[in-house]
Each structure stands twice: as structure tokens, then as C-alpha cells.
Amino acid sequence: MPEETGEKLGLRTLEDISMLILHSHDLQETLDNIVNLVAKRMSSDVCSIYLLEEDGETLRLHATRGLSRLSVGITMKTSEGLTGLAVEQRGVVATDNAPLHPRYKYFRQTKEEKVLSFLGVPFFERNNPIGVLVIQNRDARTFTSQEISAVSTIAWQISSIVSNAKLLDSIRKKEEERAFYAAEVDRLRKSGELKDSGRASRKEHGSGVMTGIGISPGFALGKVSVLHRGASEEAVLEQARPRGEEQTRFLHALEKARIQTLYMEKRVGQILSEADAAIFHSHLMILEDRGFIGKITALIDQGLGAHTAVSQVVENYVSAFARMQDPYLRERSADMEDIGRRICLALNGGNHKHRERLRDPRIIIARELLPSDLAIMDHAKVIGIATEKGNQNAHAAIMARALGIPAVFGVEGLLKKTGARCEMVVDGNSGCVYVNPEQRIKKEYQRLQGEFDQKQRALEGIRELPAVTTDGCTVSLLANIGLLSDLKVAQAHGAEGVGLYRTEFPFMSRKTFPGRIEQAAIYRKVLEGFPGLPVTIRTLDIGGDKELSYFPHPKEDNPFLGWRSMRISLDREDIFREQLAAVLLASASGRCNIMFPMISGVDEVRRIKGILEQVKEELRNDGKEFAGDIGLGVMVELPAAVLVADMLAREVDYLSIGTNDLIQYTLACDRNNPRVKKWYDPYHPAVLHSIKKVAEAAAGAGKPASLCGEMAGEPINAVLLLGLGMRSFSLSAPNIPRVKEAIRSISLAQAEQIAGQVLGMESALSIKSYLEAVQRELGL
């Protein structure tokens, strides 16, 4: 070890680790860089970081310098080995001859037979162990108290990194939540009733129309309430105080900010869901992070006032986030601003709660809306939101969508053109904001609101009724869900079960692959949400535009044509088998089906069925029970699957068409690329003939066929698909009532006649024109 003291070593290493965090792109890269740095500084042959799984009993090797690279990912129980002992004892384990220790266990994959000395230091999150930092040497080495202290300090820093990364991951992809009543408003806008009026208004009153980003669909008309930052939140001229007094002042403010954050976490959890409340749990972890606190107290020790110290540290974090390439991570800078503002508010004696009091319904306008602003408002009186800053990834945007509040962000110059006495229309569909709209515009939105309310009441009346055509053909309407909070939305809109449960979202919200027990608990809740009704669980569909932060994915020029979905599951059977076991363990809780995505041919299906049988046999040998009547299906998303649909139908219990990917792959058009978006067309004859072919293949085999995807959400599309032979749709839950109304208003014979006309057409343009005419004629 270098001659410098352990204390100096620890501090110097901490400084370098802080720099590594700023220059690393994700948690895995950070951990890899840390083990390399620590091994060098400690003159050790091996440095490894093990993280504790969610079950609290399994340690997984996440990063190492010195052990075999192939050993990354191996697991051990906390009851095994010296590393497990460090967790069990919740303290340091050190020995100069590890093989002689009674708890020593050799793991063949690590190839650690050549190391002799061992130092394991556990690290914690809120007093619970979350991992172990291990130092090993080939020679017998007695670690000094200074060395142990230095490693303990480094382990403490690692705990902060892991905690924050885990909490950032836990709220990832929340923007997939749907607003409750977006569908009807969108239909009215697309029909031209709102668009024409808006155009006339812009020509005559251009200064009153402002545009931004439509964040949460729907619209609102009303008076505004301007959200001003109080004086207690702004920078103040700090009086010189003794450092001890300033430190005490900061710590008191920090505690007050924590209490406020706990209040907001509890409030949002009660109003929305635990997933939404996780926003504030991540804030709380930062407020308890010793690295964050230490930076502020260090500046105070240097003579800065508490307010200035907080502002400088927060600004450094904000700048670090702003430099990140990932738009989701860039937007986390707003969370740091929110945390800093809360501490400064407490430092200056301010109080958040004054913002809750709205005497009547209002549209909230602000420079920027932060999560804490929205958490403490009276949501019943917030009818709309418009801001100058923010985008789709902002946590306030996520919360607005979850609450169903129409919102437009990114409206430049908004505050200059509005005041406390203004009236405003916020249109979250088009991203338009009308300031002091003329009477014609107000009447148009009032008319739309009246029509919307009337339509909602009519749709509510058919919620419990079946989707049956006028000539007696029954159609199943199920929900697509990705989060447990979607269950209530699906139930509220009369879903007859779940046609597609996207299992990748629970994987995205964790720091590592969840085990079978944890997965089974989630799947069980989904099945219990629809007792007696079918629930289809799709196996992991990652890759393309869905990645897991903890799962290394190769750099691919064309990820949608690369290593994704079922290809990953079949290459990584360990992950696939765990998921299959989890579904089987949960299956007895309801009518469970399993669906396999991105299938291209029969060979894949037969291999999947073989693996499933092996997992079943394993569970039987372990005495585990599972349902014996689980339906197996495949998603038809590739042109190859369309061409062999009749062969696939003989192998499985049902087929399910995934229109989003089917359109993308049939037309060679990346649906997320704005430059080619105009070529992504569900009405292309090739797409419609593919759907017809799959429906016929399923019917020929006597098997059901369902359709998942955005295409089924439009009533006229549902009528067309019914005519093409589909009898089961899985769609976004808010669209179910409108689709049900359309199906109940038409006969199967009419639907088949419409489909017959469409199949005879040669262009998407002519098909769209025809369907628009039919839609007007039928009043859909």
C-alpha cells in the first residue's frame, strides 16, 4: 500500500470517484471504474463489488478487477462465504488467510484460488445492507485499521451511488401512463371541429395563441392562477454567522425538507400510486445522501452561508445532469432544483402549504412546475396547467398525465403575456394555449366540453354491457397494461380482462433482474385484479427502444432488427426460465395465458415449449403447484410470422397480432423516427391483407385470434378489423367504451362489407378517404 495514510487515501479516492460518477453513463460503468480505481489505490490483486438482490438473501457480483470476467453475475446466499458473512454480521470481515476461515467457500467461476487475504466491508441504505466491497490479495496481508477505515469510507460512497441509481430506475418509463379521457377529445380534434376554429382564431388573433408541447391530453377553459416563486425561495443576502451556527441552521432546514418530502410522498401515494410516490422517495434518498450533505457542509466550513452552499452544490448536480445524453436523465436536473428549492425554502422560513389553497377551479401557469408544486396542490381545483419550461420526461408531466389534468409545457414567453386576471384555454392535445380567447373560441371549447361530458355519460351507461353487434356477434375487449396502477383504469373502463401485460416495465423499475418469487408476486396481483377473466402475460420484450440499465446491450446500428425480444430470451435461458417459473407460480391465481413476442417461425415455438416443459418438471420436483390449463400464444409481428401463420396456429392455443410492430416491419419504417413517420401507415394494403391472412389462418385451425396495438383504439378501425375476422381486441383502456359503442351500433354483415370494400382498394389514401366517409355516415 502507498505510504500515504488511510484517511488521505480514502479522501483522495472519494474525490476521484466523484469525478467518475460525472463521466460515467450508467451504474454499471461507474462500478467497473470504481473497482479499477480502488484496486490500484489499495495495491490489491482483486477488488469486487457485490450487490444484494431484492430478496435480501442473494448477493450478485456486479463488478470486479482481478477475478475472471466470466464470474460477473454469479450469485451466492448471504449464508455462504466470507462475503455473505459481512452481510450477516453487518460489519467488516478481515483475514490474512481466507481458505482457513470456517466460512470460506470457493466459487469455481471466480478462479480465486490464488488469493489468500480477504477484506469485506458491507454498505447500507437506510441501515439495511445493500452490498459488499471486497479487497483480496494473493499474499497474506493484515489490513490495518487505517486501511479498513479508508475502504469503509469508499463503501459508504458506493452506497450513495447504488441507492440513487436504483431510485432513478424505479421511476423509469412512467411516461407510458395514459390520461383517462384523452381518446374522445382526440377524436373531436381529428374530426376538424376544433382545428378549423383554431385556424380562424390564429389568423385574426395571432398574439393570443401560443404553442408548446402537449403533455397531458384534454382541454381546460378558465381563469388562471400564476405560480410565483416566493421570496423565501430566492437567493438572499446572507449575514455572516459563526460556522457552527450556520451548520446547525442547515441541518435543521434539511430535516424540515425531509419531513415535507415524506408528507408529499404519502400524499401522492394516496392520490395516485406507489410508483408515482417513488418520485419523492428518490428525493428523500438524496436528502439523506451523505455525499450530497457532505459537499454542502464542506462549503459551509469554508465560510459560505448555508443558502449559498446549497445553491452551489445543487447547481453542480444540475449541470452534471444537463450534460447527459439520455433525455430522461437530463430531465432529472429539475428534481435536483426541486430538492435545492425545498431546502432553501426551509432555510428562509418559508412554507410550501400556502400553494394548496385555490378558492375556485383554476388553470395553473408557471415558469416551471416541479413535482413538489403539484404534490401539494388541491388537484380537484387544478383544471389545467401551462408552463414555460419542461417536457414529456419531466416528473411533473408524469404526474399531470396520471392525474388526468390537461397540460402544455414549453410555452415560450407565457408569463409575459398572462396575468392573474387572464382567462385561458389549454389544449393538451394540440399543444396550444389561448390567452384571453375571443368569445368564438370560448364557445367552441364550451361546446366541446358539453359534448364530451354528454358522451362520457352515455359511455358510462354501457360499461357493464357486452360488446355485441346488432346481429349477435360477440367481441372481447381487453386492456393493454404495463403498470399495476393500470389495473384500476382498466377496471373503470369495463375491460373484460388483460389482453397484454407488458412484463418489461417491472424489469425496468429495478436495479437487477427480479427473481422468480418477486416476479410471481407482481403477476399474481395482475391476475387477482381480474378474477375469473383472462389475463395474458407477455414474456420479456426488451431491446429496440426498451433497454434495461443493468443489462449490457451491444451497440447496434439497427436495434429494431437486432438482438431483442424473444431472441434475448432464447439466448439467455437463465432469465427466460426464471420468468416462466414466475408465471407458473402465479398462474393458479386466475385465468392465465402466456404470450411470446417477435416469433418468426415454428422452430422457435417448439424450443420455447420444450423449455417450458422443463421448467414445469422442475417445479413439480420442488413440490410447487401451478395451473394446468395455461394457454400458450404467439405474437404475430413479423412478415415471416404472417406467411407461416397457419403453421404457427397448429403449435399454439391462439395468435395475437401486434399491430405496432407489424406495421413497422412490414413497411420497413421505424415508428419512432420522425423523418419516416409519414410512411408508418396502418391503412397500407399490405398491413390489412396481413391481418386478414392471420385471421383466416387462426380460424382454419379452430384457434382464436386477437389484436393488440394502437390501431384497435379507433372505433372505425375496430369496425374494419371486425370485418377482417378479428373477434378480440386488446387496447388502451380509455378507448374501450368508444370501441364498445361502435361495435354495438353495427352488424357483423356491415363490418364485413366495409372490410370487403377496403381489401379491394390499392392505396392507403383511398382507404383512409373511404373510412372517413363511413365514419361520418355511421356517426362513429
Side-chain angles (χ1 to χ4, degrees):
M1 177 165 176
E3 294 180 358
E4 61 187 332
T5 66
E7 182 179 2
K8 287 183 179 179
L9 171 68
L11 291 174
R12 189 160 69 88
T13 305
L14 283 182
E15 291 173 0
D16 288 340
I17 288 174
S18 297
M19 291 301 297
L20 287 178
I21 295 169
L22 290 177
H23 292 93
S24 297
H25 294 92
D26 54 32
L27 176 62
Q28 187 60 53
E29 184 179 349
T30 302
L31 296 181
D32 288 339
N33 288 336
I34 287 173
V35 294
N36 288 329
L37 175 67
V38 175
K40 180 179 178 181
R41 291 286 168 78
M42 291 292 297
S43 299
S44 61
D45 297 312
V46 176
C47 177
S48 306
I49 295 175
Y50 295 79
L51 298 183
L52 196 61
E53 305 273 88
E54 295 292 337
D55 61 8
E57 298 177 354
T58 306
L59 282 162
R60 184 181 296 274
L61 178 61
H62 274 255
T64 186
R65 165 70 182 273
L67 298 181
S68 167
R69 283 288 173 186
L70 297 176
S71 65
V72 173
I74 68 161
T75 60
M76 67 181 75
K77 295 298 182 183
T78 53
S79 58
E80 298 178 302
L82 294 171
T83 307
L85 182 62
V87 174
E88 280 190 336
Q89 293 185 168
R90 301 171 66 90
V92 174
V93 173
T95 175
D96 61 359
N97 197 327
L100 295 181
H101 196 284
R103 273 292 294 267
Y104 176 75
K105 181 174 181 178
Y106 171 61
F107 292 89
R108 181 174 51 82
Q109 303 100 311
T110 64
K111 298 182 180 178
E112 60 179 347
E113 61 269 20
K114 295 181 181 179
V115 295
L116 200 61
S117 60
F118 177 95
L119 172 63
V121 178
F123 45 93
F124 302 84
E125 175 186 38
R126 305 180 83 176
N127 295 322
N128 295 315
I130 59 172
V132 182
L133 174 61
V134 172
I135 304 293
Q136 294 172 282
N137 279 76
R138 294 190 181 91
D139 301 326
R141 174 176 175 179
T142 301
F143 294 95
T144 67
S145 59
Q146 287 184 325
E147 288 174 330
I148 293 173
S149 176
V151 176
S152 298
T153 304
I154 295 164
W156 160 70
Q157 179 79 336
I158 295 170
S159 70
S160 300
I161 298 165
V162 173
S163 297
N164 289 331
K166 178 181 70 174
L167 289 159
L168 284 174
D169 283 343
S170 73
I171 49 179
R172 199 170 181 86
K173 300 293 183 178
K174 187 64 176 66
E175 59 267 24
E176 292 287 333
E177 289 281 14
R178 302 287 191 232
F180 293 114
Y181 59 90
E184 176 61 15
V185 177
D186 192 46
R187 184 190 72 79
L188 291 168
R189 182 178 64 82
K190 286 180 178 178
S191 69
E193 296 169 87
L194 177 60
K195 181 174 63 176
D196 293 340
S197 174
R199 266 203 299 267
S201 170
R202 287 184 204 197
K203 191 174 287 187
E204 297 171 25
H205 297 273
S207 62
V209 183
M210 309 177 76
T211 59
I213 306 166
I215 293 295
S216 180
F219 55 84
L221 166 62
K223 295 180 180 179
V224 305
S225 179
V226 182
L227 180 63
H228 290 295
R229 298 289 175 231
S232 58
E233 298 172 48
E234 304 296 338
V236 294
L237 184 62
E238 294 189 289
Q239 297 178 347
R241 294 183 177 90
R243 292 179 189 177
E245 184 181 333
E246 203 68 9
Q247 293 282 18
T248 301
R249 185 167 161 260
F250 163 64
L251 293 175
H252 285 166
L254 185 66
E255 186 60 28
K256 187 175 181 180
R258 287 171 179 159
I259 293 169
Q260 290 170 341
T261 304
L262 282 168
Y263 160 76
M264 287 183 278
E265 180 182 8
K266 184 176 180 182
R267 175 175 166 81
V268 172
Q270 290 171 341
I271 296 169
L272 297 175
S273 68
E274 291 182 7
D276 298 291
I279 293 169
F280 295 101
H281 190 60
S282 66
H283 287 197
L284 186 64
M285 293 307 301
I286 293 171
L287 288 167
E288 294 180 346
D289 178 66
R290 283 181 282 185
F292 174 70
I293 297 167
K295 289 180 175 69
I296 296 170
T297 55
L299 289 178
I300 293 173
D301 280 340
Q302 293 171 22
L304 271 65
H307 196 296
T308 303
V310 170
S311 299
Q312 284 193 15
V313 171
V314 167
E315 180 56 35
N316 288 339
Y317 276 93
V318 169
S319 298
F321 276 118
R323 291 194 296 270
M324 293 182 179
Q325 294 182 353
D326 188 319
Y328 181 86
L329 292 176
R330 274 203 308 272
E331 193 56 37
R332 299 291 68 79
S333 62
D335 290 278
M336 288 307 305
E337 288 183 16
D338 198 3
I339 291 164
R341 184 166 62 86
R342 211 170 305 150
I343 299 172
C344 290
L345 185 69
L347 276 169
N348 299 332
N351 193 330
H352 265 92
K353 292 191 177 182
H354 70 280
R355 292 209 192 101
E356 285 187 80
R357 303 189 187 112
L358 292 173
R359 281 177 278 186
D360 50 21
R362 295 276 176 152
I363 292 170
I364 301 298
I365 63 172
R367 185 183 73 87
E368 181 177 24
L369 196 69
L370 298 175
S372 59
D373 295 320
L374 201 49
I376 52 87
M377 288 177 184
D378 183 351
H379 303 130
K381 291 180 179 176
V382 179
I383 59 174
I385 299 168
T387 69
E388 291 187 344
K389 289 182 62 180
N391 60 39
Q392 290 277 2
N393 294 311
H395 275 145
I398 295 168
M399 292 174 66
R401 287 194 289 276
L403 289 164
I405 300 173
V408 178
F409 286 3
V411 184
E412 293 184 14
L414 176 68
L415 293 179
K416 289 182 179 179
K417 293 191 177 182
T418 54
R421 296 184 180 181
C422 284
E423 266 193 319
M424 181 179 288
V425 169
V426 172
D427 185 340
N429 300 299
S430 66
C432 289
V433 170
Y434 300 81
V435 181
N436 290 324
E438 67 167 1
Q439 195 63 28
R440 190 196 324 180
I441 296 295
K442 289 168 62 176
K443 284 184 177 180
E444 179 69 7
Y445 274 96
Q446 286 166 346
R447 180 184 69 79
L448 286 171
Q449 184 68 61
E451 287 184 8
F452 176 77
D453 292 343
Q454 184 179 3
K455 175 66 76 173
Q456 288 299 98
R457 286 192 294 272
L459 293 176
E460 180 62 26
I462 67 171
R463 193 176 77 88
E464 302 299 331
L465 299 176
V468 181
T469 63
T470 57
D471 52 358
C473 177
T474 300
V475 177
S476 297
L477 297 179
L478 304 99
N480 295 335
I481 69 171
L483 301 165
L484 292 178
S485 56
D486 291 334
L487 287 171
K488 290 182 180 178
V489 181
Q491 293 160 354
H493 288 89
E496 300 169 47
V498 175
L500 170 62
Y501 173 50
R502 303 180 180 96
T503 57
E504 52 271 13
F505 289 110
F507 281 78
M508 289 173 176
S509 67
R510 281 155 177 79
K511 65 180 180 179
T512 187
F513 284 106
R516 64 178 64 180
I517 301 302
E518 186 181 2
Q519 288 185 59
I522 298 170
Y523 305 153
R524 198 172 288 116
K525 288 180 181 178
V526 178
L527 288 161
E528 290 170 349
F530 283 92
L533 296 174
V535 171
T536 298
I537 299 173
R538 184 180 70 184
T539 58
L540 194 59
D541 184 12
I542 57 172
D545 59 346
K546 296 189 290 287
E547 293 186 3
L548 304 180
S549 61
Y550 51 81
F551 182 60
H553 204 89
K555 175 71 175 175
E556 296 178 303
D557 292 334
N558 214 329
F560 279 101
L561 298 180
W563 197 50
R564 61 165 296 202
S565 196
M566 186 50 60
R567 295 167 181 175
I568 294 177
S569 294
L570 291 176
D571 282 352
R572 287 296 304 270
E573 277 194 35
D574 55 331
I575 299 169
F576 187 41
R577 287 172 181 271
E578 281 292 286
Q579 183 169 33
L580 291 177
V583 176
L584 291 171
L585 290 172
S587 62
S589 297
R591 286 178 55 189
C592 181
N593 300 312
I594 308 178
M595 186 158 65
F596 305 103
M598 204 177 171
I599 295 297
S600 62
V602 168
D603 288 340
E604 292 167 339
V605 177
R606 290 173 179 166
R607 183 179 168 196
I608 289 166
K609 289 164 69 175
I611 294 170
L612 180 61
E613 287 305 314
Q614 292 172 11
V615 175
K616 285 182 178 180
E617 186 62 26
E618 174 198 326
L619 293 179
R620 289 191 193 100
N621 293 336
D622 289 342
K624 305 294 184 182
E625 295 183 356
F626 52 87
D629 57 350
I630 301 173
L632 300 183
V634 296
M635 291 199 78
V636 179
E637 302 167 283
L638 306 179
V642 172
L643 294 174
V644 296
D646 55 340
M647 304 177 194
L648 293 172
R650 292 194 290 268
E651 293 287 333
V652 295
D653 299 309
Y654 63 92
L655 302 179
S656 182
I657 301 174
T659 55
N660 295 352
D661 270 335
L662 180 62
I663 297 166
Q664 173 173 254
Y665 288 122
T666 299
L667 304 179
C669 175
D670 180 354
R671 66 179 187 264
N672 295 319
N673 185 340
R675 299 189 69 176
V676 297
K677 188 176 181 180
K678 62 183 177 182
W679 281 283
Y680 180 87
D681 193 339
Y683 302 112
H684 193 289
V687 174
L688 299 179
H689 281 274
S690 293
I691 293 171
K692 177 66 173 174
K693 179 175 175 60
V694 175
E696 289 176 342
K703 306 288 178 65
S706 63
L707 186 141
C708 306
E710 302 302 323
M711 185 177 178
E714 287 292 331
I716 187 61
N717 290 351
V719 170
L720 170 61
L721 294 166
L722 175 64
L724 290 174
M726 306 308 300
R727 300 292 181 267
S728 177
F729 302 133
S730 186
L731 58 157
S732 178
N735 291 328
I736 289 176
R738 295 170 55 229
V739 170
K740 182 185 291 187
E741 181 187 46
I743 290 169
R744 289 178 60 85
S745 67
I746 197 169
S747 69
L748 175 61
Q750 285 176 289
E752 289 176 337
Q753 183 181 7
I754 291 167
Q757 289 287 331
V758 165
L759 290 174
M761 296 178 181
E762 297 179 347
S763 77
L765 187 61
S766 60
I767 291 172
K768 278 186 276 192
S769 298
Y770 170 71
L771 290 177
E772 286 172 2
V774 171
Q775 185 175 10
R776 287 193 296 269
E777 182 182 340
L778 296 177
L780 298 179

